[in-house]
Amino acid sequence: MTDMAAFREAVTEWAAGGPGEPARRLAALLPVRTVVLLEGPSDVAAVDALAAGRGRDLAAEGICVLSMGGAMNIARYAGLLGPPGLGLRLTGLCDEREREYYARGWTRAGLAEPAHDFFVCAADLEDELIRALGPDRVTELVRAEGDHRSLSTFLRQPEQRTRTPRQQLRRFLGTKKGRKIHYGRVLTEALPPDAVPEPLEALLAAV
């Protein structure tokens, strides 16, 4: 089926060393105009959830929201999808600690520094969401999702005693496979309209 999911799959295979023709063909057929490069699938879940909440169908607009499978892959994806490759517009999110790494990868791919194209989270997107909602509200959502017992067990661990509630929740989201993806959507859907983290708000406004 010719859709954005097929394009994402083709690009991921291309980035892993597979053929580029399927991605080129799908980019022309859809057509794709912009790729939002994100570090992982939890970021994709958050961006998709915010867009859906605003009544936007990014795929129908020619916007591909793509997980790179880690920040270290930025140069590879930028080279394949940006001006050196498919010639698509690129944007996305990165963490503050990776800003310089992204800039170097961007340059290696033959593009200008991404200062105005990438939006920066202070720690990561999960931390931005927890800060926007507040630890109490996030804990309520964890309880509503049936994970309160797991959270209570986690908080009893000795190493959690010196962490702030926000730090504890951020760490908890990464303790089980798939949890960050699930809560990327749950936390984003729970955001009041005036509390969307600035990097996420700016990204959606830019595409």
Side-chain angles (χ1 to χ4, degrees), residues 1-38:
M1 179 172 57
T2 303
D3 58 15
M4 199 63 76
F7 176 70
R8 284 195 296 267
E9 183 177 342
V11 169
T12 300
E13 291 180 359
W14 189 15
E21 181 53 34
R24 294 189 185 96
R25 177 176 55 82
L26 289 168
L29 287 174
L30 288 171
V32 184
R33 62 178 179 85
T34 298
V35 178
V36 179
L37 293 173
L38 301 171

Side-chain angles (χ1 to χ4, degrees), residues 131-154:
R131 179 168 53 183
L133 288 164
D136 290 345
R137 176 60 176 143
V138 173
T139 300
E140 290 176 2
L141 292 167
V142 169
R143 182 181 294 110
E145 294 299 309
D147 283 331
H148 186 62
R149 181 173 295 179
S150 296
L151 177 60
S152 297
T153 300
F154 172 78

Side-chain angles (χ1 to χ4, degrees), residues 88-110:
L88 301 172
R89 179 189 172 222
L90 303 179
T91 186
L93 291 171
C94 69
D95 302 339
E96 177 61 43
R97 65 182 179 274
E98 295 164 346
R99 185 199 290 262
E100 292 302 317
Y101 182 83
Y102 270 60
R104 291 194 299 271
W106 210 247
T107 300
R108 285 199 300 272

Side-chain angles (χ1 to χ4, degrees), residues 4 16 24 30 36 40 42 44 54 99 117-118 167 174 181:
M4 199 63 76
R24 294 189 185 96
L30 288 171
V36 179
S42 63
V44 172
R54 300 283 176 84
R99 185 199 290 262
D117 299 302
F118 272 75
Q167 291 170 333
I181 301 171

Side-chain angles (χ1 to χ4, degrees), residues 8 26 33 63 73 77 80 83 103 110 115 125 145 148 160-161 175 179 181 185 189 196 198:
R8 284 195 296 267
L26 289 168
R33 62 178 179 85
I63 301 167
N73 294 320
Y77 277 88
L80 295 178
L125 185 53
E145 294 299 309
H148 186 62
Q160 300 308 319
R161 295 171 185 167
T175 56
R179 183 173 280 156
I181 301 171
R185 175 186 59 79
E189 289 178 345
V196 177
E198 192 278 334

Side-chain angles (χ1 to χ4, degrees), residues 60-78:
E61 296 176 29
I63 301 167
C64 176
V65 183
L66 179 66
S67 167
M68 299 183 294
M72 292 185 296
N73 294 320
I74 180 63
R76 175 67 172 161
Y77 277 88

